[in-house]
Amino acid sequence: YSDRNRGAEVGRYKSVIDEMPFSYVLPQENGNRTETRWLTLTGGDVPPVTIRGETPFGFSIWPWSAENLAKAGHAYDLVRQGFYTLNLDHRQMGVGGTDSWSPKALPIEKYRVPAGQYDWAFTLSPVR
């Protein structure tokens, strides 16, 4: 997340999709990657595709649907659906302030995303 990404250096990373999500006791959105310049997805029965943001973006990808995630009360309630849900984010608010363990903690002002209209662009390109 934008307020927690200083622990990783800018670089080229390769990962297996099924290793990206984190299994929380109470299922919730997770596995977000920030400051992404481009992302290439390969494998399976679909042609490879590259996603490039007009500006750095965030993404997460899960083997279950957002609806399944929202309804799941436990990790065992998450059902693999035979395809992946890819979330592309122009911006995403940070997870907390300097004391994110507090339920009342708000992200520091610079990590908040105020209400408003945002324009963002990205391109999807087949990998050749």
Side-chain angles (χ1 to χ4, degrees):
Y1 293 89
S2 60
D3 59 345
R4 300 291 189 259
N5 66 2
R6 291 187 181 197
E9 295 183 22
V10 172
R12 294 178 70 175
Y13 296 90
K14 184 175 184 177
S15 182
V16 175
I17 291 174
D18 289 337
E19 295 173 358
M20 296 179 86
F22 186 83
S23 183
Y24 287 106
V25 173
L26 176 61
Q28 56 193 285
E29 287 190 34
N30 69 83
N32 191 53
R33 283 13 186 212
T34 60
E35 298 295 319
T36 305
R37 276 74 172 168
W38 54 268
L39 165 68
T40 298
L41 299 170
T42 63
D45 297 332
V46 296
V49 64
T50 295
I51 301 153
R52 292 184 190 280
E54 185 177 85
T55 57
F57 61 95
F59 79 94
S60 59
I61 188 165
W62 316 312
W64 46 77
S65 69
E67 294 80 14
N68 182 209
L69 183 63
K71 291 178 182 178
H74 302 88
Y76 59 77
D77 294 326
L78 295 171
V79 178
R80 290 181 168 275
Q81 57 195 7
F83 58 89
Y84 292 90
T85 299
L86 173 64
N87 305 288
L88 299 174
D89 298 305
H90 166 55
R91 291 178 70 186
Q92 192 173 66
M93 186 170 73
V95 293
T98 56
D99 66 342
S100 62
W101 54 88
S102 168
K104 294 183 179 182
L106 288 174
I108 296 168
E109 187 67 34
K110 71 180 183 177
Y111 298 118
R112 295 181 193 174
V113 180
Q117 182 174 337
Y118 295 89
D119 294 314
W120 178 58
F122 59 89
T123 57
L124 301 172
S125 306
V127 175
R128 292 180 170 70

